[in-house]
Amino acid sequence: MGVIIIPRKHIMGQADERAFKTLVILISASLCIIVIGCVCILILTNGVSKEMKLRAELISHLEARRKAEASSNYKSQFLANMRLVFSKSSVNLNKFNYLKSYETESEHLKSQVSILFLSNTYMSSDLSHL
């Protein structure tokens, strides 16, 4: 029995070249499709990304506005309560001043009452301007 040694290139040369060219073409086509797909994704999602950023910014502005309004409401409620307290204390100080002016002869006590009354009056007027 004899074995004939024939190089592969002589038998499968054209088929190997065709297979290599096909492999190169398929790899190139796959890479081109991947690149074109990435570019299309970037182009198509760019508008969505901008819209999402604008929505996030709008939401943050609305949240900041809500916090500012809540803070303003708390301030208004606080000042209204302070006005009420000062107006009640002003009435009480007026009564106290009236009573003390007739009940005591102490100049020191009268001066303290008048100082309290004046400070309350000034604070009430300051709050009414807010």
Side-chain angles (χ1 to χ4, degrees):
M1 279 212 163
V3 177
I4 302 175
I5 300 177
I6 302 175
R8 177 181 166 88
K9 188 176 182 181
H10 289 296
I11 298 173
M12 299 295 290
Q14 288 181 346
D16 285 342
E17 286 178 21
R18 220 179 276 149
F20 181 72
K21 287 179 183 177
T22 304
L23 184 64
V24 169
I25 289 171
L26 288 175
I27 290 173
S28 299
S30 298
L31 290 175
C32 287
I33 289 172
I34 289 173
V35 168
I36 290 171
C38 289
V39 169
C40 288
I41 288 172
L42 288 174
I43 289 172
L44 294 174
T45 59
N46 191 22
V48 174
S49 296
K50 286 181 182 177
E51 183 181 344
M52 293 301 286
K53 287 178 186 175
L54 288 174
R55 260 191 201 162
E57 188 176 336
L58 178 65
I59 289 170
S60 68
H61 284 295
L62 289 175
E63 183 68 22
R65 184 176 183 183
R66 186 190 62 77
K67 285 182 181 179
E69 287 175 354
S71 175
S72 176
N73 287 340
Y74 290 137
K75 179 183 171 186
S76 297
Q77 289 175 355
F78 174 76
L79 290 176
N81 288 338
M82 292 304 291
R83 284 185 194 124
L84 182 65
V85 166
F86 281 123
S87 67
K88 286 182 179 179
S89 64
S90 176
V91 169
N92 290 336
L93 278 176
N94 281 336
K95 290 178 184 176
F96 182 70
N97 193 12
Y98 176 75
L99 291 174
K100 286 300 173 184
S101 66
Y102 289 105
E103 291 179 4
T104 185
E105 296 296 324
S106 169
E107 290 299 321
H108 179 69
L109 186 59
K110 286 181 182 179
S111 66
Q112 286 180 346
V113 168
S114 59
I115 288 171
L116 285 173
F117 176 71
L118 287 175
S119 65
N120 190 3
T121 304
Y122 290 135
M123 289 169 78
S124 296
S125 67
D126 287 343
L127 284 174
S128 65
H129 292 294
L130 294 177

